[in-house]
Amino acid sequence: MEGYRVRQYDGPVKRYCQTLELRDNPGLIAEYRRRHSREESWPEIIQGIREVGILEMEIYIRGTRLFMIVETPPDFDWDTAMARLATLPRQQEWEDYMSVFQLAEPGASSAEKWKPMERMFRLW
């Protein structure tokens, strides 16, 4: 198994880990993956994510389960940033576009779809 390089920062960051379920349909999952490729992602969405202060975002997949890691500056406030993100250009359009693939309510915001995970172990 190959590992993934992580970004280096000059100082500490906060990390958020969240999960979301996709519809159990191999064709839809393949299309969801394609729409998140560098070529297919909407530039306004990437710009909005960075504009609210997110430094790094990664999404991993296993079957229908998505796992997202978000890194932010230490003073980042998740609720404030997500409220702002929801108002940025094309964000709700993107959420509606993605809802075809996700087990989420139509019209839900990103903050309503992605569920936070609790860290239960850390190597100390």
Side-chain angles (χ1 to χ4, degrees), residues 39-97:
E39 299 78 25
E40 295 290 326
S41 292
W42 295 359
E44 301 92 342
I45 301 309
I46 303 302
Q47 180 181 342
I49 289 168
R50 294 200 185 282
E51 189 176 315
V52 300
I54 292 173
L55 302 171
E56 181 66 86
M57 178 183 284
E58 299 176 321
I59 300 175
Y60 296 83
I61 186 169
R62 180 173 178 93
T64 60
R65 169 74 44 119
L66 298 177
F67 175 68
M68 180 169 65
I69 300 170
V70 176
E71 293 176 343
T72 70
D75 62 348
F76 185 87
D77 181 79
W78 184 266
D79 293 335
T80 301
M82 291 302 104
R84 182 165 173 236
L85 183 64
T87 68
L88 295 179
R90 301 197 76 192
Q91 185 64 38
Q92 192 57 52
E93 183 183 355
W94 174 260
E95 297 302 341
D96 293 343
Y97 186 52

